[in-house]
Amino acid sequence: MSVTYPKGFQASGVTAGCKPSGLPDLGLLVGEPGTMVAGLFTTNRVEAAPVTIGRARLRAGGSPRAVVVNSGQANAATGARGVADALAITARTGALLGLEDDTVLPSSTGVIGEPLHMERLLPALPTVVEALSKEGGAEFARAIMTTDTVDKQATAEAAGVRVGGCAKGVGMIAPDLATMLAFITTDAAIAQDDLHRLADEVLKPRFNAFTVDGSTSTNDTVLLFASGAAGHDRVGPGSGAWTAISGALAGLADDLVRQLIGDGEGVGHVVVVDVEGAHTEADARIVARAVADSPLVKTAAFGGDPNPGRILQAVGASGVGFEPTSLSVRIGDAVVAEAGVIPAAYFAPASELAERARRQMKDAEIPVAVSIGDGPGRARVFGCDLSYEYVRINGEYTT
């Protein structure tokens, strides 16, 4: 039941008629009184209206406990009309729930620039409110999908409390502070400041650790809700319960990220890039993202061609300083570069080294390990191949 697995939450998903497919496109998640929320949002300067409103409502120190999500239209690059539309939706939803406007957060995903279909969304709001259920997590997860082929849901349990979550997003993904849409719930009792800390320290690094196409979305949002409905004492940093819940959230986020990258638009191979030996973790992440985002590495993954020169090029062009003689690269267990040099044996006829690398490139998950020195910085980023299907999907996205 994903977001409704923890106690204190209800959710629903219905069809308002805003997507050409006719599939569910309007979702609602509501926490019981006392629910707290923390949020992470895109750093794209062209942010969507719901991001602007959501960020402002959380900064204002209010107590939002609901989010209404539409899929089909992103409500981005829609100007004053987009803000007015989002405010109208949260106001109407709040009225139907008996809540103040600012306790409802808006969220949208879909085509950028296309105005919301208010003539369909507003009449559908009573239906989505009436459909709220403690078993409605799956319907909510399906309603937030766009080009996703499957819904993404996960649950976990630790220290007597539950966590649940769902996410969507298969294209325009290169997270920076947050990514796509993700909604995570727990029935633990957690203070507002501590909930923000969990979002920053546990969720942010994980939802930043994958990239489909190097494109940071205008709508990226991750919301973490805590209802306190488990009935236990408040959880705070330094306690055993805090450690357990942090671990459960980390595992759930990792699960959702693997589901997201596995369902990326046109994805046939997931590329797992591990970088070590950098001066800092930030440097290691930059290098890993450079490899994962490289069109040349992505197309090589699609074609099953190890071509180590493409990986070296991406590392060297990342902007991170290192000595070329300290660079080594492995594809699976095949060392395809050492001390900055690709072994001559790699290019020999019937090369056993090249064949081992090629076999690894045909797997669904391709591990690439890069070392750039002996520093403490290390990071992992999930990437994927670039296929004909990705080009087809995005070549006809609005047609």
Side-chain angles (χ1 to χ4, degrees):
M1 297 181 290
S2 65
V3 290
T4 53
Y5 179 65
K7 299 175 183 177
F9 294 95
Q10 295 186 73
S12 58
V14 302
T15 299
C18 296
K19 288 197 295 198
S21 64
L23 295 172
D25 52 13
L26 180 62
L28 179 62
L29 170 64
V30 183
E32 65 180 31
T35 295
M36 300 290 180
V37 63
L40 304 170
F41 299 96
T42 185
T43 56
N44 192 313
R45 293 291 293 167
V46 184
E47 67 180 29
V51 168
T52 301
I53 294 168
R55 197 195 306 271
R57 288 184 172 174
L58 291 183
R59 283 178 177 168
S63 53
R65 60 184 179 96
V67 59
V68 56
V69 189
N70 74 279
S71 59
Q73 294 76 45
N75 199 12
T78 48
R81 172 179 175 173
V83 172
D85 286 347
L87 290 173
I89 288 174
T90 59
R92 179 61 175 148
T93 304
L96 290 166
L97 292 169
L99 302 177
E100 296 295 326
D101 297 9
D102 61 1
T103 63
V104 181
L105 299 175
S107 190
S108 299
T109 180
V111 178
I112 294 172
E114 182 180 356
L116 294 182
H117 296 188
M118 298 296 284
E119 75 285 358
R120 297 176 182 174
L121 286 171
L122 289 177
L125 289 175
T127 304
V128 79
V129 170
E130 291 168 5
L132 284 170
S133 165
K134 294 178 181 179
E135 289 77 41
E139 286 74 19
F140 177 82
R142 286 189 284 269
I144 68 174
M145 293 165 53
T146 49
T147 53
D148 307 64
T149 64
V150 294
D151 55 79
K152 289 89 178 168
Q153 304 183 65
T155 60
E157 197 164 351
V161 301
R162 295 176 172 187
V163 295
C166 67
K168 64 79 53 185
V170 289
M172 197 182 289
I173 289 182
D176 197 356
L177 288 184
T179 179
M180 28 92 253
L181 301 184
F183 305 99
I184 298 171
T185 57
T186 178
D187 49 20
I190 304 173
Q192 187 76 54
D193 288 348
D194 292 336
L195 197 64
H196 282 289
R197 178 172 173 177
L198 281 173
D200 277 336
E201 295 181 359
V202 179
L203 299 183
K204 182 192 295 186
R206 285 165 174 83
F207 282 108
N208 275 349
F210 79 115
T211 173
V212 170
D213 47 23
S215 302
T216 300
S217 168
T218 55
N219 292 59
D220 294 348
T221 300
V222 176
L223 296 178
L224 171 61
F225 293 88
S227 69
H232 300 298
D233 292 339
R234 178 172 286 183
V235 177
S239 68
W242 176 271
T243 301
I245 292 169
S246 296
L249 284 171
L252 181 136
D254 287 338
D255 189 345
L256 289 174
V257 164
R258 281 188 176 272
Q259 292 182 56
L260 286 162
I261 192 66
D263 191 36
E265 289 173 344
V267 168
H269 302 272
V270 172
V271 183
V272 184
V273 185
D274 284 294
V275 174
E276 64 178 14
H279 294 303
T280 65
E281 179 184 343
D283 281 352
R285 190 167 300 281
I286 290 170
V287 172
R289 286 283 292 273
V291 174
D293 275 335
S294 165
L296 295 176
V297 173
K298 292 166 77 67
T299 51
F302 174 68
D305 177 14
N307 199 342
R310 293 184 167 184
I311 300 173
L312 269 65
Q313 178 275 329
V315 173
S318 68
V320 170
F322 65 92
E323 289 298 323
T325 53
S326 66
L327 172 61
S328 65
V329 176
R330 284 186 294 109
I331 300 175
D333 63 353
V335 179
V336 295
E338 196 163 14
V341 175
I342 300 172
Y346 180 87
F347 299 99
S351 166
E352 190 272 336
L353 175 61
E355 182 56 32
R356 274 195 291 134
R358 274 192 290 271
R359 285 198 300 268
Q360 187 65 68
M361 294 289 288
K362 295 184 183 300
D363 287 348
E365 189 167 290
I366 303 170
V368 175
V370 177
S371 178
I372 59 173
D374 57 6
R378 57 194 307 129
R380 167 176 285 183
V381 168
F382 292 89
C384 60
D385 58 358
L386 178 60
S387 68
Y388 303 134
E389 182 65 6
Y390 176 88
V391 176
R392 185 196 66 76
I393 291 170
N394 287 281
E396 58 187 34
Y397 194 83
T398 63
T399 57

